[in-house]
């Protein structure tokens, strides 16, 4: 290669190298120490306070309410939906603000959701109980009540409410909203939906978002039976199944720390359940629990609950409960 050609190639590539070097040198030496100092100061100050989305400049409350109903594919009455999200503490706070600036009789044009909370709470209890009576027809009322109590607790309802995206739309005096406010909001939503679209849509809402919390769960965990053998005797006597008879059918590790007793329970010479335990009494209790699961239809290998039950299928249990209340 001649000297002339090499010089021309060098002249063409040199500006690119200079430009790349200039780009690298744009990051000054003070940048990294400054960023580290800013990070240290932020960590020293602690996390920032949680701010509601309504504090953003592009917040549109009416659009959020409309989008909420569309996300759930429900037809809410606009006024009832806004009322469902408006708590009494928010109205009291706004009235106090207006009173401080000299407004004698402040008018906000808002209604709190106290009435809807009462209505929705009653409907949720009725719908959940009717669903369980239909899905678990053999389970006694005590077991049904225990599961209903779990599903309608503030913790469970707040979990559902927060995952539906209600916390940013709730109008309350405090933020972030607590567990009670979240639970009350979903109760008010059920009440608003029942008044807007009727009982069937309200039941489907409760079934799809509240009852489905039992999916892949052991329903026996929600009902604590203190004396399973006594309950088994009462149940067998009521159903005329005969007297339960515990029998030892196996023992391993006798006189050791790892002893395991296997006890079976028979009614009228028919096997109904078995269980293991470190001593005979524990094995009898476990066998009684297993027998109760078999009799109640809540055995460990039970079929999944039918979450496709319609309003017509549970209406009989709803009417039965209403009739018992009137009686």
């Amino acid at each position: 290669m001649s000297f002339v050609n090499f010089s021309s190639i060098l002249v063409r590539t040199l500006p690119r190298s200079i430009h790349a070097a200039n780009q690298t040198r744009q990051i000054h030496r003070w940048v990294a120490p400054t960023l580290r100092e800013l990070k240290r100061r932020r960590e020293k100050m602690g996390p920032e306070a949680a701010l509601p989305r309504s504090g953003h400049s592009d917040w549109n409350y009416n659009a959020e309410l409309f989008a909420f109903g569309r996300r759930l594919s429900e037809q809410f009455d606009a006024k009832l939906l806004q009322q469902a999200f408006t708590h009494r503490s928010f109205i009291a706070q706004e009235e106090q603000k207006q009173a401080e600036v000299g407004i004698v009789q402040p008018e906000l044009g808002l209604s709190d959701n106290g009435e809807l909370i009462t209505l929705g709470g009653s409907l949720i209890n009725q719908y959940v109980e009717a669903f369980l009576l239909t899905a678990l027809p053999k389970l006694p009322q005590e077991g049904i009540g225990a599961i209903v109590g779990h599903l309608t607790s503030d913790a469970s309802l707040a979990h559902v409410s927060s995952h539906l995206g209600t916390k940013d739309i709730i109008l309350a005096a405090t933020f972030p909203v607590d567990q009670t406010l979240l639970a009350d909001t979903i109760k008010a939503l059920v009440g608003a939906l029942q008044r807007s679209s009727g009982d069937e849509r309200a039941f489907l809402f409760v079934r799809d978002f509240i009852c489905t919390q039992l999916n892949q769960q052991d329903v026996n965990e929600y009902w604590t039976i203190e004396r399973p053998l006594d309950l088994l005797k009462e149940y067998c006597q009521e159903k005329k199944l005969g007297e339960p008879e515990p029998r030892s059918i196996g023992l391993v590790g006798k006189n050791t720390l790892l002893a395991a007793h296997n006890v079976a329970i028979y009614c009228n010479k028919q096997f109904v359940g078995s269980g293991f335990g470190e001593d005979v009494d524990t094995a009898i209790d476990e066998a009684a629990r297993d027998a109760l699961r078999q009799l109640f239809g809540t055995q460990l290998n039970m079929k999944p609950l039918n979450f496709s039950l319609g309003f017509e299928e549970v209406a009989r249990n709803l009417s039965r409960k209403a009739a018992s209340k009137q009686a």
Side-chain angles (χ1 to χ4, degrees):
M1 180 182 294
S2 64
F3 178 76
V4 177
N5 293 336
F6 179 78
S7 300
S8 61
I9 295 174
L10 182 62
V11 170
R12 288 197 301 269
T13 57
L14 187 58
R16 299 178 184 175
S17 302
I18 295 175
H19 180 67
N22 289 337
Q23 283 185 333
T24 305
R25 292 172 185 171
Q26 291 299 324
I27 302 178
H28 298 283
R29 294 182 177 179
W30 54 265
V31 174
T34 302
L35 293 177
R36 285 195 293 267
E37 177 63 19
L38 292 176
K39 180 182 178 182
R40 186 189 66 80
R41 294 182 182 182
R42 180 181 292 274
E43 292 176 350
K44 182 179 179 180
M45 293 177 62
E48 297 181 1
L51 298 176
R53 287 181 57 195
S54 58
H56 297 184
S57 59
D58 59 347
W59 176 257
N60 188 327
Y61 189 69
N62 292 328
E64 292 291 334
L65 290 178
F66 178 81
F68 179 83
R70 287 296 179 266
R71 285 198 302 271
L72 300 180
S73 300
E74 299 291 353
Q75 299 294 332
F76 285 97
D77 179 85
K79 292 184 178 179
L80 288 175
L81 183 58
Q82 183 176 7
Q83 181 182 353
F85 283 106
T86 306
H87 290 268
R88 179 59 195 167
S89 60
F90 175 80
I91 296 179
Q93 182 186 52
E94 294 300 315
E95 289 177 348
Q96 182 179 0
K97 288 181 180 179
Q98 294 192 13
E100 291 176 354
V101 297
I103 301 178
V104 181
Q105 295 180 348
E107 296 182 2
L108 300 177
L110 297 175
S111 300
D112 66 88
N113 57 4
E115 182 182 356
L116 292 178
I117 291 174
T118 304
L119 173 62
S122 176
L123 290 174
I124 289 175
N125 279 278
Q126 293 178 25
Y127 294 153
V128 171
E129 183 173 352
F131 172 82
L132 292 174
L133 288 172
T134 307
L136 300 170
K138 297 180 180 179
L139 191 64
Q141 188 62 40
E142 293 82 0
I144 295 292
I147 301 175
V148 171
H150 168 75
L151 291 178
T152 58
S153 63
D154 283 353
S156 181
L157 293 178
H159 173 78
V160 176
S161 179
S162 62
H163 283 79
L164 289 179
T166 60
K167 66 176 183 178
D168 292 314
I169 317 178
I170 292 175
L171 297 179
T174 59
F175 187 87
V177 293
D178 57 17
Q179 193 176 80
T180 303
L181 283 177
L182 289 170
D184 287 344
T185 300
I186 196 170
K187 293 178 183 178
L189 285 173
V190 173
L193 182 59
Q194 192 269 344
R195 289 187 175 179
S196 301
S197 304
D199 286 313
E200 183 174 1
R201 295 303 306 177
F203 166 76
L204 294 178
F205 180 91
V206 173
R207 182 201 68 182
D208 293 341
F209 293 110
I210 298 178
C211 294
T212 51
Q213 300 302 305
L214 294 176
N215 186 35
Q216 297 184 357
Q217 301 294 321
D218 183 8
V219 296
N220 301 287
E221 294 182 356
Y222 306 120
W223 183 21
T224 302
I225 303 175
E226 299 296 337
R227 304 177 65 180
L229 185 59
D230 293 341
L231 179 60
L232 179 61
K233 291 179 179 179
E234 294 177 3
Y235 183 84
C236 291
Q237 183 178 2
E238 180 182 352
K239 300 296 182 180
K240 298 180 180 179
L241 300 177
E243 184 71 15
E245 299 178 9
R247 300 180 185 176
S248 178
I249 59 175
L251 172 61
V252 295
K254 185 178 180 180
N255 298 327
T256 68
L257 295 176
L258 300 178
H261 296 262
N262 188 11
V263 173
I265 293 183
Y266 294 83
C267 291
N268 288 335
K269 299 181 181 181
Q270 297 294 324
F271 174 82
V272 292
S274 64
F276 292 86
E278 62 272 12
D279 52 49
V280 176
D281 293 336
T282 303
I284 291 176
D285 287 343
E286 292 300 320
R289 288 189 173 91
D290 183 62
L292 289 172
R293 289 193 292 265
Q294 300 293 333
L295 295 173
F296 296 159
T298 59
Q299 55 270 28
L300 298 179
N301 60 342
M302 64 177 289
K303 292 182 179 180
L305 294 177
N306 184 10
F307 293 111
S308 62
L309 292 173
F311 181 72
E312 297 80 6
E313 298 173 89
V314 303
R316 180 177 59 181
N317 289 316
L318 280 173
S319 59
R320 184 187 305 172
K321 182 178 179 182
S324 63
K325 282 187 175 181
Q326 292 177 359

